[in-house]
């Protein structure tokens, strides 16, 4: 049996639940939390994950390319859906 666990690489303000309150043009004005959250996931482990950039793939890749690189350098797969 294989178990799969994926994580979305996105900011808290990217979620659709805030879409009616958070304008995409304002995303740069919010404090970023994606690096800290990603670092917690990447703490030394024998588990390999597929990290799914969801909704904000281009935003995270453009604004925080070092995060995407850290995930890849840790041996995890980067994908989008």
């Amino acid at each position: 049996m294989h178990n799969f666990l994926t994580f979305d690489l996105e900011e808290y303000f990217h979620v659709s639940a805030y879409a009616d309150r958070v304008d995409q043009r304002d995303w740069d004005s919010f404090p970023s939390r994606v690096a800290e959250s990603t670092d917690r996931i990447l703490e030394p482990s024998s588990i390999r994950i597929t990290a799914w950039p969801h909704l904000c793939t281009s935003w995270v890749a453009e604004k925080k390319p070092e995060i995407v690189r850290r995930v890849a350098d840790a041996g995890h797969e980067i994908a989008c859906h």
Side-chain angles (χ1 to χ4, degrees):
M1 174 191 291
H2 295 281
N3 294 300
F4 296 92
L5 175 63
T6 64
F7 296 91
D8 288 351
L9 296 178
E10 64 184 4
E11 292 284 5
Y12 61 97
F13 47 83
H14 291 157
V15 297
S16 60
Y18 295 131
D20 63 337
R21 288 170 265 173
V22 177
D23 191 302
Q24 185 174 351
R25 293 172 293 192
D26 297 329
W27 284 359
D28 287 335
S29 67
F30 291 96
S32 176
R33 298 180 186 162
V34 70
E36 181 180 327
S37 299
T38 301
D39 287 344
R40 279 193 217 125
I41 294 167
L42 293 178
E43 288 177 358
S45 169
S46 63
I47 299 171
R48 292 288 170 242
I49 62 168
T50 297
W52 291 88
H54 174 66
L55 298 175
C56 62
T57 303
S58 61
W59 193 94
V60 170
E62 181 181 306
K63 303 292 183 178
K64 306 287 183 179
E66 69 280 2
I67 295 169
V68 178
R69 175 56 42 210
R70 283 201 311 264
V71 172
D73 287 348
H76 302 292
E77 180 182 349
I78 306 293
C80 63
H81 59 89

